[in-house]
mmCIF file of all heavy atoms in Angstrom:
data_model
loop_
_atom_site.group_PDB
_atom_site.id
_atom_site.type_symbol
_atom_site.label_atom_id
_atom_site.label_comp_id
_atom_site.label_asym_id
_atom_site.label_seq_id
_atom_site.Cartn_x
_atom_site.Cartn_y
_atom_site.Cartn_z
ATOM 1 N N LEU A 70 -16.143 70.612 -24.109
ATOM 2 C CA LEU A 70 -16.500 70.000 -22.906
ATOM 3 C C LEU A 70 -17.611 70.626 -22.044
ATOM 4 O O LEU A 70 -18.405 70.205 -21.391
ATOM 5 C CB LEU A 70 -15.143 69.843 -21.899
ATOM 6 C CG LEU A 70 -14.120 68.845 -22.537
ATOM 7 C CD1 LEU A 70 -12.951 68.848 -21.682
ATOM 8 C CD2 LEU A 70 -14.708 67.332 -22.598
ATOM 9 N N LEU A 71 -17.479 72.043 -21.966
ATOM 10 C CA LEU A 71 -18.455 72.847 -21.263
ATOM 11 C C LEU A 71 -19.789 72.710 -21.906
ATOM 12 O O LEU A 71 -20.800 72.676 -21.254
ATOM 13 C CB LEU A 71 -17.990 74.300 -21.257
ATOM 14 C CG LEU A 71 -16.805 74.637 -20.252
ATOM 15 C CD1 LEU A 71 -16.269 75.979 -20.529
ATOM 16 C CD2 LEU A 71 -17.048 74.250 -18.846
ATOM 17 N N ALA A 72 -19.845 72.776 -23.321
ATOM 18 C CA ALA A 72 -21.194 72.673 -23.937
ATOM 19 C C ALA A 72 -21.681 71.338 -23.787
ATOM 20 O O ALA A 72 -23.024 71.174 -23.535
ATOM 21 C CB ALA A 72 -20.890 72.811 -25.418
ATOM 22 N N ASP A 73 -21.077 70.212 -23.726
ATOM 23 C CA ASP A 73 -21.534 68.817 -23.576
ATOM 24 C C ASP A 73 -22.150 68.884 -22.098
ATOM 25 O O ASP A 73 -23.208 68.228 -21.878
ATOM 26 C CB ASP A 73 -20.449 67.851 -23.643
ATOM 27 C CG ASP A 73 -19.957 67.753 -25.127
ATOM 28 O OD1 ASP A 73 -20.738 68.167 -25.879
ATOM 29 O OD2 ASP A 73 -18.800 67.272 -25.330
ATOM 30 N N GLU A 74 -21.439 69.400 -21.079
ATOM 31 C CA GLU A 74 -21.873 69.341 -19.748
ATOM 32 C C GLU A 74 -23.301 70.140 -19.556
ATOM 33 O O GLU A 74 -24.229 69.763 -18.922
ATOM 34 C CB GLU A 74 -20.917 69.995 -18.716
ATOM 35 C CG GLU A 74 -19.651 69.141 -18.642
ATOM 36 C CD GLU A 74 -18.639 69.790 -17.609
ATOM 37 O OE1 GLU A 74 -18.937 70.860 -17.168
ATOM 38 O OE2 GLU A 74 -17.540 69.057 -17.385
ATOM 39 N N GLU A 75 -23.431 71.299 -20.197
ATOM 40 C CA GLU A 75 -24.668 72.163 -20.302
ATOM 41 C C GLU A 75 -25.789 71.337 -20.969
ATOM 42 O O GLU A 75 -26.822 71.431 -20.444
ATOM 43 C CB GLU A 75 -24.455 73.367 -20.968
ATOM 44 C CG GLU A 75 -23.509 74.275 -20.183
ATOM 45 C CD GLU A 75 -23.242 75.716 -20.967
ATOM 46 O OE1 GLU A 75 -23.744 75.759 -22.088
ATOM 47 O OE2 GLU A 75 -22.558 76.509 -20.452
ATOM 48 N N GLU A 76 -25.471 70.600 -22.020
ATOM 49 C CA GLU A 76 -26.591 69.854 -22.673
ATOM 50 C C GLU A 76 -27.025 68.730 -21.790
ATOM 51 O O GLU A 76 -28.206 68.431 -21.652
ATOM 52 C CB GLU A 76 -25.985 69.285 -23.886
ATOM 53 C CG GLU A 76 -25.828 70.388 -25.079
ATOM 54 C CD GLU A 76 -25.287 69.666 -26.372
ATOM 55 O OE1 GLU A 76 -25.003 68.589 -26.339
ATOM 56 O OE2 GLU A 76 -25.164 70.489 -27.238
ATOM 57 N N GLU A 77 -26.098 68.123 -21.160
ATOM 58 C CA GLU A 77 -26.475 67.041 -20.104
ATOM 59 C C GLU A 77 -27.407 67.538 -18.926
ATOM 60 O O GLU A 77 -28.338 66.892 -18.622
ATOM 61 C CB GLU A 77 -25.356 66.354 -19.558
ATOM 62 C CG GLU A 77 -24.489 65.491 -20.658
ATOM 63 C CD GLU A 77 -23.264 64.939 -19.997
ATOM 64 O OE1 GLU A 77 -23.015 65.160 -18.807
ATOM 65 O OE2 GLU A 77 -22.578 64.135 -20.749
ATOM 66 N N VAL A 78 -27.187 68.788 -18.495
ATOM 67 C CA VAL A 78 -27.974 69.290 -17.489
ATOM 68 C C VAL A 78 -29.182 69.698 -17.960
ATOM 69 O O VAL A 78 -30.305 69.705 -17.247
ATOM 70 C CB VAL A 78 -27.162 70.585 -16.816
ATOM 71 C CG1 VAL A 78 -27.934 71.186 -15.830
ATOM 72 C CG2 VAL A 78 -25.785 70.015 -16.062
ATOM 73 N N GLU A 79 -29.396 70.363 -19.055
ATOM 74 C CA GLU A 79 -30.682 70.831 -19.657
ATOM 75 C C GLU A 79 -31.640 69.786 -20.101
ATOM 76 O O GLU A 79 -32.754 70.013 -20.127
ATOM 77 C CB GLU A 79 -30.383 71.836 -20.833
ATOM 78 C CG GLU A 79 -29.651 73.209 -20.359
ATOM 79 C CD GLU A 79 -29.361 74.012 -21.543
ATOM 80 O OE1 GLU A 79 -29.517 73.548 -22.575
ATOM 81 O OE2 GLU A 79 -28.769 75.127 -21.254
ATOM 82 N N GLU A 80 -31.233 68.751 -20.526
ATOM 83 C CA GLU A 80 -32.063 67.685 -20.996
ATOM 84 C C GLU A 80 -32.856 67.085 -19.909
ATOM 85 O O GLU A 80 -32.459 66.818 -18.754
ATOM 86 C CB GLU A 80 -31.228 66.506 -21.636
ATOM 87 C CG GLU A 80 -30.686 66.889 -22.996
ATOM 88 C CD GLU A 80 -29.926 65.752 -23.670
ATOM 89 O OE1 GLU A 80 -29.894 64.701 -22.916
ATOM 90 O OE2 GLU A 80 -29.387 65.941 -24.715
ATOM 91 N N ASP A 81 -34.358 67.035 -20.139
ATOM 92 C CA ASP A 81 -35.285 66.561 -19.168
ATOM 93 C C ASP A 81 -35.265 64.861 -19.360
ATOM 94 O O ASP A 81 -35.018 64.445 -20.390
ATOM 95 C CB ASP A 81 -36.700 66.982 -19.402
ATOM 96 C CG ASP A 81 -36.679 68.498 -19.132
ATOM 97 O OD1 ASP A 81 -35.904 68.807 -18.437
ATOM 98 O OD2 ASP A 81 -37.493 69.210 -19.743
ATOM 99 N N PRO A 82 -35.380 64.325 -18.342
ATOM 100 C CA PRO A 82 -35.546 62.775 -18.344
ATOM 101 C C PRO A 82 -36.842 62.384 -19.163
ATOM 102 O O PRO A 82 -37.790 62.957 -19.111
ATOM 103 C CB PRO A 82 -35.663 62.333 -16.871
ATOM 104 C CG PRO A 82 -36.128 63.577 -16.295
ATOM 105 C CD PRO A 82 -35.631 64.721 -16.914
ATOM 106 N N GLU A 83 -36.665 61.297 -19.951
ATOM 107 C CA GLU A 83 -37.712 60.846 -20.767
ATOM 108 C C GLU A 83 -38.798 60.013 -20.024
ATOM 109 O O GLU A 83 -38.368 59.285 -19.135
ATOM 110 C CB GLU A 83 -37.106 59.816 -21.856
ATOM 111 C CG GLU A 83 -38.013 59.406 -22.817
ATOM 112 C CD GLU A 83 -37.383 58.331 -23.788
ATOM 113 O OE1 GLU A 83 -36.236 58.325 -23.829
ATOM 114 O OE2 GLU A 83 -38.232 57.937 -24.795
ATOM 115 N N VAL A 84 -39.957 60.323 -20.284
ATOM 116 C CA VAL A 84 -41.076 59.820 -19.518
ATOM 117 C C VAL A 84 -41.705 58.723 -20.290
ATOM 118 O O VAL A 84 -41.967 58.916 -21.497
ATOM 119 C CB VAL A 84 -42.196 60.787 -19.035
ATOM 120 C CG1 VAL A 84 -43.352 60.168 -18.319
ATOM 121 C CG2 VAL A 84 -41.521 61.909 -18.350
ATOM 122 N N GLU A 85 -41.948 57.478 -19.725
ATOM 123 C CA GLU A 85 -42.478 56.399 -20.399
ATOM 124 C C GLU A 85 -43.728 55.851 -19.578
ATOM 125 O O GLU A 85 -43.705 55.931 -18.284
ATOM 126 C CB GLU A 85 -41.463 55.161 -20.566
ATOM 127 C CG GLU A 85 -40.294 55.562 -21.426
ATOM 128 C CD GLU A 85 -39.384 54.391 -21.590
ATOM 129 O OE1 GLU A 85 -39.596 53.475 -20.855
ATOM 130 O OE2 GLU A 85 -38.364 54.595 -22.099
ATOM 131 N N TYR A 86 -44.636 55.366 -20.312
ATOM 132 C CA TYR A 86 -45.909 54.709 -19.776
ATOM 133 C C TYR A 86 -45.905 53.301 -19.969
ATOM 134 O O TYR A 86 -45.810 52.860 -21.068
ATOM 135 C CB TYR A 86 -47.297 55.468 -20.352
ATOM 136 C CG TYR A 86 -47.274 56.982 -19.984
ATOM 137 C CD1 TYR A 86 -46.812 57.838 -20.950
ATOM 138 C CD2 TYR A 86 -47.740 57.446 -18.835
ATOM 139 C CE1 TYR A 86 -46.839 59.184 -20.665
ATOM 140 C CE2 TYR A 86 -47.787 58.828 -18.567
ATOM 141 C CZ TYR A 86 -47.352 59.698 -19.509
ATOM 142 O OH TYR A 86 -47.375 61.026 -19.278
ATOM 143 N N VAL A 87 -46.354 52.557 -18.949
ATOM 144 C CA VAL A 87 -46.150 50.997 -18.993
ATOM 145 C C VAL A 87 -47.512 50.573 -18.407
ATOM 146 O O VAL A 87 -48.009 51.059 -17.431
ATOM 147 C CB VAL A 87 -45.044 50.556 -18.133
ATOM 148 C CG1 VAL A 87 -44.873 49.066 -18.292
ATOM 149 C CG2 VAL A 87 -43.745 51.135 -18.648
ATOM 150 N N GLU A 88 -48.056 49.601 -19.166
ATOM 151 C CA GLU A 88 -49.330 48.912 -18.686
ATOM 152 C C GLU A 88 -49.047 48.148 -17.362
ATOM 153 O O GLU A 88 -47.946 47.556 -17.283
ATOM 154 C CB GLU A 88 -49.894 47.978 -19.795
ATOM 155 C CG GLU A 88 -50.313 48.694 -21.066
ATOM 156 C CD GLU A 88 -50.689 47.736 -22.026
ATOM 157 O OE1 GLU A 88 -50.802 46.500 -21.781
ATOM 158 O OE2 GLU A 88 -51.096 48.244 -23.158
ATOM 159 N N GLY A 89 -50.134 48.126 -16.502
ATOM 160 C CA GLY A 89 -49.917 47.410 -15.270
ATOM 161 C C GLY A 89 -51.277 47.051 -14.699
ATOM 162 O O GLY A 89 -52.335 47.493 -15.118
ATOM 163 N N TYR A 90 -51.189 45.894 -13.790
ATOM 164 C CA TYR A 90 -52.319 45.340 -13.118
ATOM 165 C C TYR A 90 -53.536 44.753 -14.017
ATOM 166 O O TYR A 90 -54.537 44.621 -13.660
ATOM 167 C CB TYR A 90 -53.179 46.633 -12.396
ATOM 168 C CG TYR A 90 -52.256 47.276 -11.370
ATOM 169 C CD1 TYR A 90 -51.730 48.573 -11.611
ATOM 170 C CD2 TYR A 90 -51.832 46.610 -10.236
ATOM 171 C CE1 TYR A 90 -50.915 49.193 -10.743
ATOM 172 C CE2 TYR A 90 -50.985 47.246 -9.227
ATOM 173 C CZ TYR A 90 -50.555 48.521 -9.602
ATOM 174 O OH TYR A 90 -49.657 49.163 -8.691
ATOM 175 N N ASP A 91 -53.085 44.455 -15.407
ATOM 176 C CA ASP A 91 -54.124 43.761 -16.125
ATOM 177 C C ASP A 91 -54.301 42.332 -15.735
ATOM 178 O O ASP A 91 -55.361 41.771 -15.646
ATOM 179 C CB ASP A 91 -53.551 43.853 -17.604
ATOM 180 C CG ASP A 91 -53.533 45.221 -18.163
ATOM 181 O OD1 ASP A 91 -54.361 46.001 -17.621
ATOM 182 O OD2 ASP A 91 -52.790 45.498 -19.172
ATOM 183 N N GLU A 92 -53.195 41.750 -15.378
ATOM 184 C CA GLU A 92 -53.267 40.412 -14.871
ATOM 185 C C GLU A 92 -54.046 40.158 -13.679
ATOM 186 O O GLU A 92 -54.770 39.304 -13.412
ATOM 187 C CB GLU A 92 -51.865 39.641 -14.957
ATOM 188 C CG GLU A 92 -51.144 39.612 -16.210
ATOM 189 C CD GLU A 92 -49.691 39.167 -15.990
ATOM 190 O OE1 GLU A 92 -49.338 38.774 -14.803
ATOM 191 O OE2 GLU A 92 -49.057 38.901 -17.087
ATOM 192 N N LEU A 93 -53.781 41.126 -12.792
ATOM 193 C CA LEU A 93 -54.421 41.087 -11.475
ATOM 194 C C LEU A 93 -55.968 41.295 -11.647
ATOM 195 O O LEU A 93 -56.798 40.559 -10.981
ATOM 196 C CB LEU A 93 -53.935 42.021 -10.511
ATOM 197 C CG LEU A 93 -52.417 41.913 -10.144
ATOM 198 C CD1 LEU A 93 -51.960 43.094 -9.300
ATOM 199 C CD2 LEU A 93 -52.161 40.651 -9.312
ATOM 200 N N GLU A 94 -56.367 42.296 -12.436
ATOM 201 C CA GLU A 94 -57.873 42.587 -12.611
ATOM 202 C C GLU A 94 -58.496 41.294 -13.345
ATOM 203 O O GLU A 94 -59.580 40.975 -12.851
ATOM 204 C CB GLU A 94 -57.875 43.673 -13.602
ATOM 205 C CG GLU A 94 -57.572 45.016 -12.787
ATOM 206 C CD GLU A 94 -57.735 46.191 -13.796
ATOM 207 O OE1 GLU A 94 -58.088 45.969 -14.976
ATOM 208 O OE2 GLU A 94 -57.503 47.359 -13.330
ATOM 209 N N GLU A 95 -57.871 40.667 -14.299
ATOM 210 C CA GLU A 95 -58.404 39.499 -14.846
ATOM 211 C C GLU A 95 -58.625 38.348 -13.796
ATOM 212 O O GLU A 95 -59.624 37.675 -13.866
ATOM 213 C CB GLU A 95 -57.546 39.084 -15.995
ATOM 214 C CG GLU A 95 -57.537 39.972 -17.242
ATOM 215 C CD GLU A 95 -56.705 39.534 -18.319
ATOM 216 O OE1 GLU A 95 -55.979 38.492 -18.188
ATOM 217 O OE2 GLU A 95 -56.560 40.326 -19.355
ATOM 218 N N ALA A 96 -57.614 38.161 -13.004
ATOM 219 C CA ALA A 96 -57.669 37.133 -12.046
ATOM 220 C C ALA A 96 -58.773 37.354 -10.976
ATOM 221 O O ALA A 96 -59.592 36.519 -10.703
ATOM 222 C CB ALA A 96 -56.420 36.970 -11.226
ATOM 223 N N GLU A 97 -58.994 38.629 -10.659
ATOM 224 C CA GLU A 97 -60.026 39.046 -9.653
ATOM 225 C C GLU A 97 -61.530 38.754 -10.377
ATOM 226 O O GLU A 97 -62.485 38.328 -9.721
ATOM 227 C CB GLU A 97 -60.024 40.339 -9.164
ATOM 228 C CG GLU A 97 -58.875 40.620 -8.267
ATOM 229 C CD GLU A 97 -58.583 42.086 -7.862
ATOM 230 O OE1 GLU A 97 -59.375 42.917 -8.556
ATOM 231 O OE2 GLU A 97 -57.685 42.408 -7.240
ATOM 232 N N ASP A 98 -61.712 39.116 -11.542
ATOM 233 C CA ASP A 98 -62.925 39.051 -12.321
ATOM 234 C C ASP A 98 -63.298 37.438 -12.498
ATOM 235 O O ASP A 98 -64.389 37.122 -12.261
ATOM 236 C CB ASP A 98 -62.873 39.589 -13.806
ATOM 237 C CG ASP A 98 -62.727 40.995 -13.840
ATOM 238 O OD1 ASP A 98 -63.023 41.718 -12.563
ATOM 239 O OD2 ASP A 98 -62.188 41.666 -14.623
ATOM 240 N N ILE A 99 -62.247 36.788 -12.712
ATOM 241 C CA ILE A 99 -62.477 35.268 -12.919
ATOM 242 C C ILE A 99 -62.989 34.671 -11.516
ATOM 243 O O ILE A 99 -63.956 33.889 -11.417
ATOM 244 C CB ILE A 99 -61.266 34.497 -13.371
ATOM 245 C CG1 ILE A 99 -61.100 34.842 -14.749
ATOM 246 C CG2 ILE A 99 -61.551 33.004 -13.211
ATOM 247 C CD1 ILE A 99 -59.700 34.572 -15.420
ATOM 248 N N GLU A 100 -62.401 35.120 -10.332
ATOM 249 C CA GLU A 100 -62.688 34.522 -9.062
ATOM 250 C C GLU A 100 -64.242 34.927 -8.688
ATOM 251 O O GLU A 100 -65.010 34.227 -8.271
ATOM 252 C CB GLU A 100 -61.777 35.084 -8.045
ATOM 253 C CG GLU A 100 -60.388 34.480 -8.199
ATOM 254 C CD GLU A 100 -59.347 35.027 -7.141
ATOM 255 O OE1 GLU A 100 -59.777 35.836 -6.317
ATOM 256 O OE2 GLU A 100 -58.292 34.612 -7.094
ATOM 257 N N ASP A 101 -64.508 36.295 -8.971
ATOM 258 C CA ASP A 101 -65.863 36.764 -8.683
ATOM 259 C C ASP A 101 -66.934 35.982 -9.540
ATOM 260 O O ASP A 101 -68.019 35.540 -8.926
ATOM 261 C CB ASP A 101 -66.029 38.257 -8.966
ATOM 262 C CG ASP A 101 -65.036 39.042 -7.972
ATOM 263 O OD1 ASP A 101 -64.805 38.508 -6.916
ATOM 264 O OD2 ASP A 101 -64.738 40.239 -8.435
ATOM 265 N N PHE A 102 -66.578 35.766 -10.849
ATOM 266 C CA PHE A 102 -67.584 35.186 -11.543
ATOM 267 C C PHE A 102 -67.791 33.772 -11.173
ATOM 268 O O PHE A 102 -68.743 33.061 -11.065
ATOM 269 C CB PHE A 102 -67.154 35.256 -13.011
ATOM 270 C CG PHE A 102 -68.023 34.471 -14.025
ATOM 271 C CD1 PHE A 102 -69.345 35.026 -14.181
ATOM 272 C CD2 PHE A 102 -67.687 33.349 -14.449
ATOM 273 C CE1 PHE A 102 -70.191 34.224 -15.010
ATOM 274 C CE2 PHE A 102 -68.380 32.616 -15.366
ATOM 275 C CZ PHE A 102 -69.776 33.136 -15.635
ATOM 276 N N GLY A 103 -66.621 33.005 -10.802
ATOM 277 C CA GLY A 103 -66.717 31.703 -10.415
ATOM 278 C C GLY A 103 -67.498 31.485 -9.146
ATOM 279 O O GLY A 103 -68.314 30.618 -9.005
ATOM 280 N N GLY A 104 -67.520 32.425 -8.243
ATOM 281 C CA GLY A 104 -68.369 32.323 -7.093
ATOM 282 C C GLY A 104 -69.760 32.524 -7.291
ATOM 283 O O GLY A 104 -70.589 31.912 -6.760
ATOM 284 N N PHE A 105 -70.083 33.491 -8.219
ATOM 285 C CA PHE A 105 -71.487 33.869 -8.477
ATOM 286 C C PHE A 105 -72.042 32.622 -9.221
ATOM 287 O O PHE A 105 -73.209 32.164 -8.912
ATOM 288 C CB PHE A 105 -71.569 34.905 -9.422
ATOM 289 C CG PHE A 105 -72.795 35.293 -9.937
ATOM 290 C CD1 PHE A 105 -73.856 35.839 -9.023
ATOM 291 C CD2 PHE A 105 -73.142 34.936 -11.297
ATOM 292 C CE1 PHE A 105 -75.141 36.030 -9.775
ATOM 293 C CE2 PHE A 105 -74.427 35.193 -11.832
ATOM 294 C CZ PHE A 105 -75.402 35.694 -11.056
ATOM 295 N N THR A 106 -71.478 31.794 -10.083
ATOM 296 C CA THR A 106 -71.994 30.795 -10.872
ATOM 297 C C THR A 106 -72.302 29.441 -9.975
ATOM 298 O O THR A 106 -73.410 28.931 -10.196
ATOM 299 C CB THR A 106 -70.999 30.330 -12.036
ATOM 300 O OG1 THR A 106 -69.861 30.087 -11.411
ATOM 301 C CG2 THR A 106 -70.873 31.490 -13.001
ATOM 302 N N MET A 107 -71.409 29.303 -9.016
ATOM 303 C CA MET A 107 -71.588 28.203 -8.159
ATOM 304 C C MET A 107 -72.972 28.404 -7.313
ATOM 305 O O MET A 107 -73.808 27.584 -7.163
ATOM 306 C CB MET A 107 -70.474 28.005 -7.212
ATOM 307 C CG MET A 107 -69.303 27.431 -7.962
ATOM 308 S SD MET A 107 -69.503 25.853 -8.667
ATOM 309 C CE MET A 107 -69.576 24.972 -7.239
#
């Protein structure tokens, strides 16, 4: 039980990277281009 508790304390939390703001950037590009073409 003591060994299990030490392992839980020593382990670092796992870091994950997630894509973000792709949809927002695409929407802004389309709006800018639409105003320029008109």
